[in-house]
Structure formats: structure tokens, C-alpha cells
PDB file of all heavy atoms in Angstrom:
ATOM      1  N   ASN A   1     -10.542   2.315  53.034  1.00  0.00           N
ATOM      2  CA  ASN A   1     -10.681   0.938  52.583  1.00  0.00           C
ATOM      3  C   ASN A   1     -11.787   0.230  53.361  1.00  0.00           C
ATOM      4  O   ASN A   1     -12.168   0.650  54.451  1.00  0.00           O
ATOM      5  CB  ASN A   1      -9.366   0.181  52.769  1.00  0.00           C
ATOM      6  CG  ASN A   1      -8.220   0.787  52.001  1.00  0.00           C
ATOM      7  OD1 ASN A   1      -8.354   1.113  50.819  1.00  0.00           O
ATOM      8  ND2 ASN A   1      -7.073   0.937  52.658  1.00  0.00           N
ATOM      9  N   SER A   2     -12.268  -0.860  52.793  1.00  0.00           N
ATOM     10  CA  SER A   2     -13.288  -1.682  53.447  1.00  0.00           C
ATOM     11  C   SER A   2     -14.446  -0.841  53.963  1.00  0.00           C
ATOM     12  O   SER A   2     -14.862  -0.942  55.117  1.00  0.00           O
ATOM     13  CB  SER A   2     -12.649  -2.479  54.596  1.00  0.00           C
ATOM     14  OG  SER A   2     -11.600  -3.300  54.125  1.00  0.00           O
ATOM     15  N   LEU A   3     -14.980  -0.021  53.099  1.00  0.00           N
ATOM     16  CA  LEU A   3     -16.022   0.907  53.500  1.00  0.00           C
ATOM     17  C   LEU A   3     -17.288   0.186  53.946  1.00  0.00           C
ATOM     18  O   LEU A   3     -17.656  -0.860  53.404  1.00  0.00           O
ATOM     19  CB  LEU A   3     -16.337   1.866  52.362  1.00  0.00           C
ATOM     20  CG  LEU A   3     -15.279   2.949  52.140  1.00  0.00           C
ATOM     21  CD1 LEU A   3     -15.456   3.605  50.786  1.00  0.00           C
ATOM     22  CD2 LEU A   3     -15.355   3.993  53.255  1.00  0.00           C
ATOM     23  N   LYS A   4     -17.931   0.771  54.940  1.00  0.00           N
ATOM     24  CA  LYS A   4     -19.161   0.245  55.509  1.00  0.00           C
ATOM     25  C   LYS A   4     -20.270   1.273  55.338  1.00  0.00           C
ATOM     26  O   LYS A   4     -20.008   2.460  55.137  1.00  0.00           O
ATOM     27  CB  LYS A   4     -18.973  -0.054  57.006  1.00  0.00           C
ATOM     28  CG  LYS A   4     -17.774  -0.914  57.342  1.00  0.00           C
ATOM     29  CD  LYS A   4     -17.576  -0.984  58.852  1.00  0.00           C
ATOM     30  CE  LYS A   4     -16.354  -1.795  59.222  1.00  0.00           C
ATOM     31  NZ  LYS A   4     -16.146  -1.829  60.702  1.00  0.00           N
ATOM     32  N   SER A   5     -21.498   0.814  55.462  1.00  0.00           N
ATOM     33  CA  SER A   5     -22.622   1.733  55.359  1.00  0.00           C
ATOM     34  C   SER A   5     -22.541   2.826  56.432  1.00  0.00           C
ATOM     35  O   SER A   5     -22.989   3.954  56.197  1.00  0.00           O
ATOM     36  CB  SER A   5     -23.948   0.985  55.469  1.00  0.00           C
ATOM     37  OG  SER A   5     -24.052   0.301  56.709  1.00  0.00           O
ATOM     38  N   GLU A   6     -21.967   2.504  57.572  1.00  0.00           N
ATOM     39  CA  GLU A   6     -21.814   3.473  58.653  1.00  0.00           C
ATOM     40  C   GLU A   6     -20.857   4.608  58.304  1.00  0.00           C
ATOM     41  O   GLU A   6     -20.809   5.620  59.012  1.00  0.00           O
ATOM     42  CB  GLU A   6     -21.320   2.787  59.927  1.00  0.00           C
ATOM     43  CG  GLU A   6     -22.194   1.630  60.395  1.00  0.00           C
ATOM     44  CD  GLU A   6     -21.700   0.299  59.879  1.00  0.00           C
ATOM     45  OE1 GLU A   6     -22.023  -0.033  58.726  1.00  0.00           O
ATOM     46  OE2 GLU A   6     -20.996  -0.413  60.636  1.00  0.00           O
ATOM     47  N   ASP A   7     -20.080   4.451  57.230  1.00  0.00           N
ATOM     48  CA  ASP A   7     -19.159   5.497  56.798  1.00  0.00           C
ATOM     49  C   ASP A   7     -19.842   6.573  55.963  1.00  0.00           C
ATOM     50  O   ASP A   7     -19.207   7.567  55.605  1.00  0.00           O
ATOM     51  CB  ASP A   7     -18.009   4.894  55.991  1.00  0.00           C
ATOM     52  CG  ASP A   7     -17.142   3.963  56.814  1.00  0.00           C
ATOM     53  OD1 ASP A   7     -16.836   4.301  57.977  1.00  0.00           O
ATOM     54  OD2 ASP A   7     -16.767   2.889  56.296  1.00  0.00           O
ATOM     55  N   THR A   8     -21.096   6.379  55.645  1.00  0.00           N
ATOM     56  CA  THR A   8     -21.833   7.360  54.854  1.00  0.00           C
ATOM     57  C   THR A   8     -21.906   8.687  55.604  1.00  0.00           C
ATOM     58  O   THR A   8     -22.387   8.750  56.731  1.00  0.00           O
ATOM     59  CB  THR A   8     -23.242   6.854  54.540  1.00  0.00           C
ATOM     60  OG1 THR A   8     -23.151   5.690  53.712  1.00  0.00           O
ATOM     61  CG2 THR A   8     -24.050   7.917  53.807  1.00  0.00           C
ATOM     62  N   ALA A   9     -21.412   9.740  54.971  1.00  0.00           N
ATOM     63  CA  ALA A   9     -21.361  11.053  55.608  1.00  0.00           C
ATOM     64  C   ALA A   9     -20.823  12.064  54.612  1.00  0.00           C
ATOM     65  O   ALA A   9     -20.373  11.708  53.519  1.00  0.00           O
ATOM     66  CB  ALA A   9     -20.461  11.022  56.849  1.00  0.00           C
ATOM     67  N   VAL A  10     -20.869  13.322  55.002  1.00  0.00           N
ATOM     68  CA  VAL A  10     -20.160  14.363  54.279  1.00  0.00           C
ATOM     69  C   VAL A  10     -18.774  14.469  54.894  1.00  0.00           C
ATOM     70  O   VAL A  10     -18.637  14.602  56.116  1.00  0.00           O
ATOM     71  CB  VAL A  10     -20.888  15.717  54.354  1.00  0.00           C
ATOM     72  CG1 VAL A  10     -20.067  16.799  53.651  1.00  0.00           C
ATOM     73  CG2 VAL A  10     -22.268  15.608  53.719  1.00  0.00           C
ATOM     74  N   TYR A  11     -17.756  14.413  54.064  1.00  0.00           N
ATOM     75  CA  TYR A  11     -16.380  14.447  54.528  1.00  0.00           C
ATOM     76  C   TYR A  11     -15.776  15.822  54.266  1.00  0.00           C
ATOM     77  O   TYR A  11     -15.871  16.359  53.164  1.00  0.00           O
ATOM     78  CB  TYR A  11     -15.559  13.361  53.828  1.00  0.00           C
ATOM     79  CG  TYR A  11     -15.849  11.982  54.369  1.00  0.00           C
ATOM     80  CD1 TYR A  11     -17.082  11.373  54.133  1.00  0.00           C
ATOM     81  CD2 TYR A  11     -14.910  11.292  55.131  1.00  0.00           C
ATOM     82  CE1 TYR A  11     -17.365  10.119  54.645  1.00  0.00           C
ATOM     83  CE2 TYR A  11     -15.184  10.030  55.642  1.00  0.00           C
ATOM     84  CZ  TYR A  11     -16.415   9.451  55.395  1.00  0.00           C
ATOM     85  OH  TYR A  11     -16.694   8.204  55.905  1.00  0.00           O
ATOM     86  N   PHE A  12     -15.148  16.381  55.288  1.00  0.00           N
ATOM     87  CA  PHE A  12     -14.560  17.711  55.232  1.00  0.00           C
ATOM     88  C   PHE A  12     -13.062  17.640  55.491  1.00  0.00           C
ATOM     89  O   PHE A  12     -12.606  16.875  56.341  1.00  0.00           O
ATOM     90  CB  PHE A  12     -15.167  18.627  56.300  1.00  0.00           C
ATOM     91  CG  PHE A  12     -16.649  18.854  56.172  1.00  0.00           C
ATOM     92  CD1 PHE A  12     -17.555  17.998  56.788  1.00  0.00           C
ATOM     93  CD2 PHE A  12     -17.130  19.930  55.459  1.00  0.00           C
ATOM     94  CE1 PHE A  12     -18.918  18.205  56.687  1.00  0.00           C
ATOM     95  CE2 PHE A  12     -18.490  20.152  55.349  1.00  0.00           C
ATOM     96  CZ  PHE A  12     -19.385  19.291  55.965  1.00  0.00           C
ATOM     97  N   CYS A  13     -12.304  18.454  54.792  1.00  0.00           N
ATOM     98  CA  CYS A  13     -10.920  18.659  55.164  1.00  0.00           C
ATOM     99  C   CYS A  13     -10.801  20.001  55.869  1.00  0.00           C
ATOM    100  O   CYS A  13     -11.622  20.904  55.680  1.00  0.00           O
ATOM    101  CB  CYS A  13      -9.973  18.575  53.965  1.00  0.00           C
ATOM    102  SG  CYS A  13     -10.163  19.864  52.718  1.00  0.00           S
ATOM    103  N   ALA A  14      -9.798  20.120  56.704  1.00  0.00           N
ATOM    104  CA  ALA A  14      -9.604  21.319  57.501  1.00  0.00           C
ATOM    105  C   ALA A  14      -8.118  21.570  57.697  1.00  0.00           C
ATOM    106  O   ALA A  14      -7.302  20.649  57.626  1.00  0.00           O
ATOM    107  CB  ALA A  14     -10.299  21.177  58.857  1.00  0.00           C
ATOM    108  N   ALA A  15      -7.783  22.830  57.949  1.00  0.00           N
ATOM    109  CA  ALA A  15      -6.390  23.203  58.157  1.00  0.00           C
ATOM    110  C   ALA A  15      -6.276  24.135  59.345  1.00  0.00           C
ATOM    111  O   ALA A  15      -7.204  24.880  59.663  1.00  0.00           O
ATOM    112  CB  ALA A  15      -5.821  23.867  56.907  1.00  0.00           C
ATOM    113  N   THR A  16      -5.121  24.089  59.989  1.00  0.00           N
ATOM    114  CA  THR A  16      -4.879  24.925  61.154  1.00  0.00           C
ATOM    115  C   THR A  16      -3.441  25.414  61.167  1.00  0.00           C
ATOM    116  O   THR A  16      -2.528  24.682  60.783  1.00  0.00           O
ATOM    117  CB  THR A  16      -5.178  24.166  62.460  1.00  0.00           C
ATOM    118  OG1 THR A  16      -4.882  25.009  63.576  1.00  0.00           O
ATOM    119  CG2 THR A  16      -4.346  22.890  62.562  1.00  0.00           C
ATOM    120  N   PRO A  17      -3.213  26.654  61.603  1.00  0.00           N
ATOM    121  CA  PRO A  17      -1.839  27.134  61.772  1.00  0.00           C
ATOM    122  C   PRO A  17      -1.228  26.712  63.100  1.00  0.00           C
ATOM    123  O   PRO A  17      -0.042  26.938  63.330  1.00  0.00           O
ATOM    124  CB  PRO A  17      -2.006  28.657  61.717  1.00  0.00           C
ATOM    125  CG  PRO A  17      -3.363  28.884  62.298  1.00  0.00           C
ATOM    126  CD  PRO A  17      -4.196  27.711  61.839  1.00  0.00           C
ATOM    127  N   ARG A  18      -2.009  26.112  63.958  1.00  0.00           N
ATOM    128  CA  ARG A  18      -1.543  25.722  65.273  1.00  0.00           C
ATOM    129  C   ARG A  18      -0.722  24.438  65.222  1.00  0.00           C
ATOM    130  O   ARG A  18      -0.959  23.565  64.402  1.00  0.00           O
ATOM    131  CB  ARG A  18      -2.720  25.528  66.233  1.00  0.00           C
ATOM    132  CG  ARG A  18      -3.558  26.768  66.452  1.00  0.00           C
ATOM    133  CD  ARG A  18      -4.763  26.454  67.325  1.00  0.00           C
ATOM    134  NE  ARG A  18      -5.515  27.639  67.667  1.00  0.00           N
ATOM    135  CZ  ARG A  18      -6.454  28.171  66.906  1.00  0.00           C
ATOM    136  NH1 ARG A  18      -6.761  27.614  65.746  1.00  0.00           N
ATOM    137  NH2 ARG A  18      -7.095  29.265  67.302  1.00  0.00           N
ATOM    138  N   GLU A  19       0.223  24.340  66.129  1.00  0.00           N
ATOM    139  CA  GLU A  19       0.971  23.100  66.294  1.00  0.00           C
ATOM    140  C   GLU A  19       0.179  22.201  67.233  1.00  0.00           C
ATOM    141  O   GLU A  19       0.127  22.436  68.440  1.00  0.00           O
ATOM    142  CB  GLU A  19       2.359  23.384  66.851  1.00  0.00           C
ATOM    143  CG  GLU A  19       3.253  24.159  65.907  1.00  0.00           C
ATOM    144  CD  GLU A  19       4.667  24.284  66.418  1.00  0.00           C
ATOM    145  OE1 GLU A  19       5.084  23.451  67.258  1.00  0.00           O
ATOM    146  OE2 GLU A  19       5.371  25.207  65.983  1.00  0.00           O
ATOM    147  N   LEU A  20      -0.422  21.193  66.671  1.00  0.00           N
ATOM    148  CA  LEU A  20      -1.232  20.263  67.447  1.00  0.00           C
ATOM    149  C   LEU A  20      -0.334  19.160  67.982  1.00  0.00           C
ATOM    150  O   LEU A  20       0.216  18.371  67.208  1.00  0.00           O
ATOM    151  CB  LEU A  20      -2.343  19.692  66.581  1.00  0.00           C
ATOM    152  CG  LEU A  20      -3.238  20.734  65.899  1.00  0.00           C
ATOM    153  CD1 LEU A  20      -4.247  20.050  64.990  1.00  0.00           C
ATOM    154  CD2 LEU A  20      -3.950  21.596  66.926  1.00  0.00           C
ATOM    155  N   THR A  21      -0.186  19.127  69.284  1.00  0.00           N
ATOM    156  CA  THR A  21       0.786  18.231  69.906  1.00  0.00           C
ATOM    157  C   THR A  21       0.182  16.969  70.475  1.00  0.00           C
ATOM    158  O   THR A  21       0.914  16.045  70.831  1.00  0.00           O
ATOM    159  CB  THR A  21       1.557  18.958  71.009  1.00  0.00           C
ATOM    160  OG1 THR A  21       0.649  19.433  72.008  1.00  0.00           O
ATOM    161  CG2 THR A  21       2.316  20.148  70.431  1.00  0.00           C
ATOM    162  N   THR A  22      -1.129  16.912  70.587  1.00  0.00           N
ATOM    163  CA  THR A  22      -1.792  15.731  71.115  1.00  0.00           C
ATOM    164  C   THR A  22      -2.932  15.320  70.199  1.00  0.00           C
ATOM    165  O   THR A  22      -3.442  16.114  69.409  1.00  0.00           O
ATOM    166  CB  THR A  22      -2.362  15.963  72.527  1.00  0.00           C
ATOM    167  OG1 THR A  22      -3.439  16.900  72.460  1.00  0.00           O
ATOM    168  CG2 THR A  22      -1.285  16.502  73.462  1.00  0.00           C
ATOM    169  N   GLU A  23      -3.334  14.067  70.328  1.00  0.00           N
ATOM    170  CA  GLU A  23      -4.453  13.585  69.536  1.00  0.00           C
ATOM    171  C   GLU A  23      -5.738  14.305  69.916  1.00  0.00           C
ATOM    172  O   GLU A  23      -6.582  14.574  69.063  1.00  0.00           O
ATOM    173  CB  GLU A  23      -4.609  12.075  69.725  1.00  0.00           C
ATOM    174  CG  GLU A  23      -5.616  11.446  68.784  1.00  0.00           C
ATOM    175  CD  GLU A  23      -5.500   9.940  68.741  1.00  0.00           C
ATOM    176  OE1 GLU A  23      -4.453   9.439  68.276  1.00  0.00           O
ATOM    177  OE2 GLU A  23      -6.443   9.262  69.191  1.00  0.00           O
ATOM    178  N   ALA A  24      -5.882  14.641  71.183  1.00  0.00           N
ATOM    179  CA  ALA A  24      -7.056  15.371  71.627  1.00  0.00           C
ATOM    180  C   ALA A  24      -7.153  16.728  70.931  1.00  0.00           C
ATOM    181  O   ALA A  24      -8.238  17.160  70.535  1.00  0.00           O
ATOM    182  CB  ALA A  24      -7.034  15.539  73.143  1.00  0.00           C
ATOM    183  N   GLU A  25      -6.032  17.412  70.788  1.00  0.00           N
ATOM    184  CA  GLU A  25      -6.032  18.684  70.075  1.00  0.00           C
ATOM    185  C   GLU A  25      -6.368  18.490  68.601  1.00  0.00           C
ATOM    186  O   GLU A  25      -7.134  19.265  68.021  1.00  0.00           O
ATOM    187  CB  GLU A  25      -4.672  19.374  70.218  1.00  0.00           C
ATOM    188  CG  GLU A  25      -4.404  19.921  71.609  1.00  0.00           C
ATOM    189  CD  GLU A  25      -3.075  20.628  71.707  1.00  0.00           C
ATOM    190  OE1 GLU A  25      -2.214  20.409  70.824  1.00  0.00           O
ATOM    191  OE2 GLU A  25      -2.882  21.401  72.660  1.00  0.00           O
ATOM    192  N   ALA A  26      -5.809  17.464  67.992  1.00  0.00           N
ATOM    193  CA  ALA A  26      -6.066  17.207  66.585  1.00  0.00           C
ATOM    194  C   ALA A  26      -7.542  16.939  66.318  1.00  0.00           C
ATOM    195  O   ALA A  26      -8.049  17.237  65.237  1.00  0.00           O
ATOM    196  CB  ALA A  26      -5.229  16.022  66.111  1.00  0.00           C
ATOM    197  N   ALA A  27      -8.227  16.393  67.305  1.00  0.00           N
ATOM    198  CA  ALA A  27      -9.627  16.026  67.157  1.00  0.00           C
ATOM    199  C   ALA A  27     -10.590  17.155  67.513  1.00  0.00           C
ATOM    200  O   ALA A  27     -11.806  16.957  67.437  1.00  0.00           O
ATOM    201  CB  ALA A  27      -9.933  14.802  68.018  1.00  0.00           C
ATOM    202  N   THR A  28     -10.079  18.309  67.881  1.00  0.00           N
ATOM    203  CA  THR A  28     -10.917  19.417  68.331  1.00  0.00           C
ATOM    204  C   THR A  28     -11.287  20.321  67.164  1.00  0.00           C
ATOM    205  O   THR A  28     -10.440  21.005  66.598  1.00  0.00           O
ATOM    206  CB  THR A  28     -10.199  20.227  69.419  1.00  0.00           C
ATOM    207  OG1 THR A  28      -9.876  19.371  70.515  1.00  0.00           O
ATOM    208  CG2 THR A  28     -11.087  21.356  69.919  1.00  0.00           C
ATOM    209  N   VAL A  29     -12.555  20.325  66.830  1.00  0.00           N
ATOM    210  CA  VAL A  29     -13.050  21.095  65.694  1.00  0.00           C
ATOM    211  C   VAL A  29     -12.693  22.571  65.803  1.00  0.00           C
ATOM    212  O   VAL A  29     -12.302  23.210  64.824  1.00  0.00           O
ATOM    213  CB  VAL A  29     -14.577  20.918  65.551  1.00  0.00           C
ATOM    214  CG1 VAL A  29     -15.156  21.897  64.533  1.00  0.00           C
ATOM    215  CG2 VAL A  29     -14.905  19.491  65.155  1.00  0.00           C
ATOM    216  N   ALA A  30     -12.806  23.126  67.003  1.00  0.00           N
ATOM    217  CA  ALA A  30     -12.620  24.553  67.212  1.00  0.00           C
ATOM    218  C   ALA A  30     -11.195  25.020  66.941  1.00  0.00           C
ATOM    219  O   ALA A  30     -10.967  26.224  66.791  1.00  0.00           O
ATOM    220  CB  ALA A  30     -13.029  24.931  68.632  1.00  0.00           C
ATOM    221  N   LEU A  31     -10.243  24.116  66.883  1.00  0.00           N
ATOM    222  CA  LEU A  31      -8.855  24.494  66.664  1.00  0.00           C
ATOM    223  C   LEU A  31      -8.497  24.628  65.188  1.00  0.00           C
ATOM    224  O   LEU A  31      -7.377  25.018  64.865  1.00  0.00           O
ATOM    225  CB  LEU A  31      -7.922  23.495  67.341  1.00  0.00           C
ATOM    226  CG  LEU A  31      -8.026  23.428  68.872  1.00  0.00           C
ATOM    227  CD1 LEU A  31      -7.005  22.446  69.426  1.00  0.00           C
ATOM    228  CD2 LEU A  31      -7.827  24.799  69.491  1.00  0.00           C
ATOM    229  N   TYR A  32      -9.407  24.307  64.305  1.00  0.00           N
ATOM    230  CA  TYR A  32      -9.179  24.436  62.872  1.00  0.00           C
ATOM    231  C   TYR A  32      -9.804  25.728  62.358  1.00  0.00           C
ATOM    232  O   TYR A  32     -10.961  26.036  62.665  1.00  0.00           O
ATOM    233  CB  TYR A  32      -9.735  23.228  62.123  1.00  0.00           C
ATOM    234  CG  TYR A  32      -8.988  21.958  62.431  1.00  0.00           C
ATOM    235  CD1 TYR A  32      -9.262  21.231  63.580  1.00  0.00           C
ATOM    236  CD2 TYR A  32      -7.995  21.495  61.573  1.00  0.00           C
ATOM    237  CE1 TYR A  32      -8.560  20.074  63.871  1.00  0.00           C
ATOM    238  CE2 TYR A  32      -7.292  20.336  61.854  1.00  0.00           C
ATOM    239  CZ  TYR A  32      -7.578  19.628  63.006  1.00  0.00           C
ATOM    240  OH  TYR A  32      -6.883  18.480  63.294  1.00  0.00           O
ATOM    241  N   ASP A  33      -9.056  26.463  61.558  1.00  0.00           N
ATOM    242  CA  ASP A  33      -9.490  27.770  61.092  1.00  0.00           C
ATOM    243  C   ASP A  33     -10.071  27.757  59.682  1.00  0.00           C
ATOM    244  O   ASP A  33     -10.825  28.666  59.318  1.00  0.00           O
ATOM    245  CB  ASP A  33      -8.316  28.751  61.129  1.00  0.00           C
ATOM    246  CG  ASP A  33      -7.771  28.934  62.529  1.00  0.00           C
ATOM    247  OD1 ASP A  33      -8.452  29.587  63.344  1.00  0.00           O
ATOM    248  OD2 ASP A  33      -6.662  28.429  62.806  1.00  0.00           O
ATOM    249  N   TYR A  34      -9.715  26.761  58.889  1.00  0.00           N
ATOM    250  CA  TYR A  34     -10.148  26.715  57.503  1.00  0.00           C
ATOM    251  C   TYR A  34     -10.780  25.367  57.203  1.00  0.00           C
ATOM    252  O   TYR A  34     -10.275  24.322  57.619  1.00  0.00           O
ATOM    253  CB  TYR A  34      -8.967  26.972  56.559  1.00  0.00           C
ATOM    254  CG  TYR A  34      -8.342  28.328  56.756  1.00  0.00           C
ATOM    255  CD1 TYR A  34      -7.236  28.493  57.572  1.00  0.00           C
ATOM    256  CD2 TYR A  34      -8.881  29.448  56.130  1.00  0.00           C
ATOM    257  CE1 TYR A  34      -6.670  29.735  57.768  1.00  0.00           C
ATOM    258  CE2 TYR A  34      -8.320  30.700  56.322  1.00  0.00           C
ATOM    259  CZ  TYR A  34      -7.216  30.838  57.136  1.00  0.00           C
ATOM    260  OH  TYR A  34      -6.660  32.079  57.322  1.00  0.00           O
ATOM    261  N   TRP A  35     -11.873  25.415  56.448  1.00  0.00           N
ATOM    262  CA  TRP A  35     -12.638  24.220  56.119  1.00  0.00           C
ATOM    263  C   TRP A  35     -13.013  24.203  54.649  1.00  0.00           C
ATOM    264  O   TRP A  35     -13.296  25.242  54.053  1.00  0.00           O
ATOM    265  CB  TRP A  35     -13.923  24.156  56.949  1.00  0.00           C
ATOM    266  CG  TRP A  35     -13.671  23.985  58.411  1.00  0.00           C
ATOM    267  CD1 TRP A  35     -13.387  24.953  59.316  1.00  0.00           C
ATOM    268  CD2 TRP A  35     -13.682  22.751  59.132  1.00  0.00           C
ATOM    269  NE1 TRP A  35     -13.216  24.398  60.564  1.00  0.00           N
ATOM    270  CE2 TRP A  35     -13.397  23.062  60.479  1.00  0.00           C
ATOM    271  CE3 TRP A  35     -13.918  21.422  58.768  1.00  0.00           C
ATOM    272  CZ2 TRP A  35     -13.325  22.068  61.465  1.00  0.00           C
ATOM    273  CZ3 TRP A  35     -13.845  20.441  59.745  1.00  0.00           C
ATOM    274  CH2 TRP A  35     -13.554  20.781  61.082  1.00  0.00           C
ATOM    275  N   GLY A  36     -13.028  23.014  54.072  1.00  0.00           N
ATOM    276  CA  GLY A  36     -13.539  22.843  52.732  1.00  0.00           C
ATOM    277  C   GLY A  36     -15.053  22.771  52.746  1.00  0.00           C
ATOM    278  O   GLY A  36     -15.697  22.814  53.801  1.00  0.00           O
ATOM    279  N   GLN A  37     -15.630  22.660  51.561  1.00  0.00           N
ATOM    280  CA  GLN A  37     -17.085  22.653  51.433  1.00  0.00           C
ATOM    281  C   GLN A  37     -17.703  21.293  51.719  1.00  0.00           C
ATOM    282  O   GLN A  37     -18.919  21.191  51.905  1.00  0.00           O
ATOM    283  CB  GLN A  37     -17.487  23.113  50.026  1.00  0.00           C
ATOM    284  CG  GLN A  37     -17.379  22.050  48.937  1.00  0.00           C
ATOM    285  CD  GLN A  37     -15.955  21.704  48.538  1.00  0.00           C
ATOM    286  OE1 GLN A  37     -14.998  22.360  48.950  1.00  0.00           O
ATOM    287  NE2 GLN A  37     -15.801  20.663  47.731  1.00  0.00           N
ATOM    288  N   GLY A  38     -16.896  20.258  51.740  1.00  0.00           N
ATOM    289  CA  GLY A  38     -17.373  18.915  51.995  1.00  0.00           C
ATOM    290  C   GLY A  38     -17.650  18.143  50.725  1.00  0.00           C
ATOM    291  O   GLY A  38     -18.025  18.708  49.701  1.00  0.00           O
ATOM    292  N   THR A  39     -17.462  16.833  50.788  1.00  0.00           N
ATOM    293  CA  THR A  39     -17.783  15.951  49.680  1.00  0.00           C
ATOM    294  C   THR A  39     -18.549  14.750  50.222  1.00  0.00           C
ATOM    295  O   THR A  39     -18.193  14.184  51.254  1.00  0.00           O
ATOM    296  CB  THR A  39     -16.509  15.515  48.920  1.00  0.00           C
ATOM    297  OG1 THR A  39     -16.866  14.756  47.768  1.00  0.00           O
ATOM    298  CG2 THR A  39     -15.584  14.684  49.799  1.00  0.00           C
ATOM    299  N   GLN A  40     -19.612  14.389  49.543  1.00  0.00           N
ATOM    300  CA  GLN A  40     -20.494  13.325  50.009  1.00  0.00           C
ATOM    301  C   GLN A  40     -19.921  11.952  49.679  1.00  0.00           C
ATOM    302  O   GLN A  40     -19.530  11.686  48.540  1.00  0.00           O
ATOM    303  CB  GLN A  40     -21.884  13.465  49.378  1.00  0.00           C
ATOM    304  CG  GLN A  40     -22.859  12.351  49.752  1.00  0.00           C
ATOM    305  CD  GLN A  40     -23.318  12.432  51.186  1.00  0.00           C
ATOM    306  OE1 GLN A  40     -23.632  13.505  51.680  1.00  0.00           O
ATOM    307  NE2 GLN A  40     -23.360  11.280  51.868  1.00  0.00           N
ATOM    308  N   VAL A  41     -19.904  11.093  50.672  1.00  0.00           N
ATOM    309  CA  VAL A  41     -19.556   9.689  50.489  1.00  0.00           C
ATOM    310  C   VAL A  41     -20.758   8.861  50.915  1.00  0.00           C
ATOM    311  O   VAL A  41     -21.220   8.971  52.048  1.00  0.00           O
ATOM    312  CB  VAL A  41     -18.324   9.283  51.309  1.00  0.00           C
ATOM    313  CG1 VAL A  41     -18.093   7.771  51.230  1.00  0.00           C
ATOM    314  CG2 VAL A  41     -17.093  10.031  50.818  1.00  0.00           C
ATOM    315  N   THR A  42     -21.262   8.060  50.006  1.00  0.00           N
ATOM    316  CA  THR A  42     -22.404   7.197  50.290  1.00  0.00           C
ATOM    317  C   THR A  42     -22.006   5.753  50.037  1.00  0.00           C
ATOM    318  O   THR A  42     -21.556   5.413  48.939  1.00  0.00           O
ATOM    319  CB  THR A  42     -23.613   7.569  49.420  1.00  0.00           C
ATOM    320  OG1 THR A  42     -23.961   8.937  49.641  1.00  0.00           O
ATOM    321  CG2 THR A  42     -24.809   6.693  49.763  1.00  0.00           C
ATOM    322  N   VAL A  43     -22.181   4.920  51.042  1.00  0.00           N
ATOM    323  CA  VAL A  43     -21.819   3.509  50.951  1.00  0.00           C
ATOM    324  C   VAL A  43     -23.099   2.688  51.030  1.00  0.00           C
ATOM    325  O   VAL A  43     -23.801   2.717  52.040  1.00  0.00           O
ATOM    326  CB  VAL A  43     -20.858   3.092  52.068  1.00  0.00           C
ATOM    327  CG1 VAL A  43     -20.429   1.639  51.881  1.00  0.00           C
ATOM    328  CG2 VAL A  43     -19.644   4.013  52.088  1.00  0.00           C
ATOM    329  N   SER A  44     -23.394   1.975  49.978  1.00  0.00           N
ATOM    330  CA  SER A  44     -24.591   1.150  49.932  1.00  0.00           C
ATOM    331  C   SER A  44     -24.265  -0.273  50.349  1.00  0.00           C
ATOM    332  O   SER A  44     -23.162  -0.781  50.120  1.00  0.00           O
ATOM    333  CB  SER A  44     -25.201   1.159  48.529  1.00  0.00           C
ATOM    334  OG  SER A  44     -24.309   0.590  47.582  1.00  0.00           O
TER     335      SER A  44
END
């Protein structure tokens, strides 16, 4: 919601079999094993 121009990026979803117990773990790219191809979001 309330999208800004700074939100312009390619957005990816990812999945992991690991139990992520902290926010730091959830934010770690290397802990995700599967990734989508990405979808472009452009905010003018």
C-alpha cells in the first residue's frame, strides 16, 4: 500500500525448509533454497 517511487524494483518470492526463528535469519538470503523468477514493480 501507499507505494512510493523508491519501491521500484524486481520482487522475488523465496522458500526455505529451515525453521527461521529470528528476524535476522528470515532476512538472510543464503538461507533460502528456492526462488521465483521475479516480477517487476514500477512506481511512477
Side-chain angles (χ1 to χ4, degrees):
N1 300 313
S2 302
L3 285 164
K4 308 172 182 178
S5 60
E6 304 94 278
D7 296 318
T8 296
V10 177
Y11 285 69
F12 299 89
C13 66
T16 178
R18 299 175 174 85
E19 294 187 22
L20 305 176
T21 59
T22 68
E23 189 165 295
E25 289 182 342
T28 302
V29 170
L31 296 183
Y32 293 81
D33 299 287
Y34 299 95
W35 294 83
Q37 80 288 351
T39 185
Q40 177 71 43
V41 173
T42 302
V43 184
S44 63

